[in-house]
Amino acid sequence: MASAATASLCCRLARLPVAPYAARRPPPPSARCSASSAAQSPDAVEREYADLNLRPLYPNRGHHLRIRQHVNPLSSSFSEPTEPPEWKDVLKDPLLPLMVDIGCGSGRFLIWLAKNSSERRNYLGLEIRQKLVERSQFWVTELRLRNVYFMFANATVSFNQIVSSYPGPLSLVSILCPDPHFKKRHHKRRVLQPQLVDSITKSLCLDGRVLLQSDVLEVAADMRERFDGYSDVFEHVDCIDKDLRCDNEGWLLDNPMGIRTEREIHAELEGATIYRRMYQKTRNVRH
């Protein structure tokens, strides 16, 4: 009986289609390189932010969270504006100039700036994925930082309400490697919509700056085009600050912040180009 069953199984296996040779070959060198880069990325991030020593600060909650990479900001769950905080309760000196990072991700970038930057300013991170905000704020509390705060918010609908309540000047807004939403029908999900551009333009103080950055040229060009449309309000910083060098296409050659974002680290490991553009508000908005 056992012999008959074995013979029957062998016959069925023999009749199974054989995968073509190309499907069974080892991955090409480029794929192996990409896989190697992915394996190196977490280590590279740890090295970049080593002085924060964040890993021991999140005990029993998982240093690496299971987070959805993409969310739909047009969902009804993100349509209600987020109420601003009591600034004096979350920041030591709410009259200092404010930097807002839209889509701040894990928050490491802002936490590093809050801890290490020589500039006296406050930092606000807006992020649409709540688990990331909770962990970021946990780190802030553990590090006893009183110049940085994170909020769960859809910046497109909440930016104006939040920032207009801040008692100090808005001096810098950054949008760094936002979700590209490649499909054309999903472009309406991209973070930098006309409503948000208008809010940023009106809220920035005179001489305030906007930093745009992406490792996807199409996304960087789209963001650039939106702010180029406000040429009566903004000038690109290479016209003002000659220390900030640009290439022939007008993209900044160097990172002006002194620290890379996590996405920037991953993209550069994969050999991608980072496209940056920084604007300075030189005139007030004409009403």
Side-chain angles (χ1 to χ4, degrees):
M1 292 288 292
S3 299
T6 303
S8 175
L9 176 60
C10 290
C11 290
R12 290 199 301 273
L13 289 174
R15 289 196 295 271
L16 289 174
V18 179
Y21 175 72
R24 293 182 285 118
R25 282 182 298 179
S30 60
R32 292 198 297 271
C33 179
S34 177
S36 174
S37 298
Q40 295 173 19
S41 289
D43 292 336
V45 170
E46 291 294 336
R47 289 194 299 271
E48 189 91 2
Y49 294 97
D51 67 312
L52 294 180
N53 197 27
L54 295 177
R55 185 179 287 274
L57 298 183
Y58 209 63
N60 304 320
R61 302 196 184 190
H63 184 70
H64 300 290
L65 299 179
R66 294 177 64 87
I67 299 293
R68 291 183 62 185
Q69 291 300 310
H70 308 286
V71 297
N72 179 9
L74 302 181
S75 168
S76 59
S77 58
F78 302 126
S79 62
E80 289 296 320
T82 300
E83 291 294 323
E86 287 291 336
W87 296 105
K88 60 181 175 54
D89 294 338
V90 299
L91 297 170
K92 182 179 180 180
D93 183 358
L95 295 178
L96 289 176
L98 179 68
M99 172 184 175
V100 178
D101 187 29
I102 296 174
C104 59
S106 74
R108 288 179 177 88
F109 171 73
L110 274 196
I111 292 172
W112 188 94
L113 289 175
K115 188 172 183 286
N116 295 293
S117 177
S118 59
E119 295 195 48
R120 293 192 71 244
R121 63 162 53 129
N122 290 322
Y123 300 88
L124 175 66
L126 302 180
E127 174 56 49
I128 202 169
R129 291 166 293 179
Q130 190 162 7
K131 285 184 180 180
L132 289 178
V133 173
E134 291 172 357
R135 186 178 65 177
S136 300
Q137 198 55 41
F138 180 88
W139 282 336
V140 167
T141 303
E142 290 294 300
L143 292 171
R144 298 181 182 179
L145 296 173
R146 295 278 292 150
N147 60 340
V148 58
Y149 185 66
F150 292 92
M151 295 184 66
F152 167 61
N154 180 352
T156 304
V157 300
S158 300
F159 180 89
N160 188 63
Q161 181 166 328
I162 292 171
V163 171
S164 62
S165 71
Y166 183 73
L170 176 64
S171 63
L172 177 60
V173 174
S174 58
I175 305 175
L176 309 176
C177 299
D179 192 331
H181 291 293
F182 288 108
K183 294 180 180 179
K184 189 172 182 179
R185 69 176 185 273
H186 291 162
H187 285 187
K188 59 188 177 182
R189 299 181 181 182
R190 289 180 175 176
V191 65
L192 198 58
Q193 299 297 328
Q195 175 185 345
L196 182 55
V197 179
D198 285 343
S199 295
I200 293 171
T201 302
K202 293 173 183 176
S203 301
L204 267 178
C205 67
L206 204 59
D207 295 328
R209 292 183 172 185
V210 179
L211 175 62
L212 309 173
Q213 177 175 294
S214 180
D215 56 304
V216 180
L217 178 57
E218 177 200 340
V219 174
D222 180 51
M223 294 193 293
R224 172 178 177 166
E225 182 178 348
R226 292 184 186 277
F227 277 95
D228 281 350
Y230 286 82
S231 58
D232 58 331
V233 178
F234 292 106
E235 288 188 55
H236 191 254
V237 290
D238 66 335
C239 302
I240 301 166
D241 188 346
K242 299 304 179 184
D243 291 333
L244 295 173
R245 302 176 303 129
C246 290
D247 63 15
N248 293 333
E249 300 296 323
W251 301 109
L252 284 173
L253 291 172
D254 304 305
N255 182 338
M257 301 306 297
I259 186 73
R260 295 180 297 171
T261 67
E262 290 181 53
R263 177 59 206 162
E264 194 175 344
I265 295 168
H266 299 325
E268 289 185 340
L269 274 175
E270 295 167 359
T273 299
I274 307 298
Y275 301 94
R276 302 183 187 89
R277 189 90 170 150
M278 181 179 270
Y279 296 87
Q280 182 164 320
K281 185 174 180 178
T282 55
R283 289 172 290 277
N284 283 315
V285 181
R286 295 176 181 175
H287 295 284

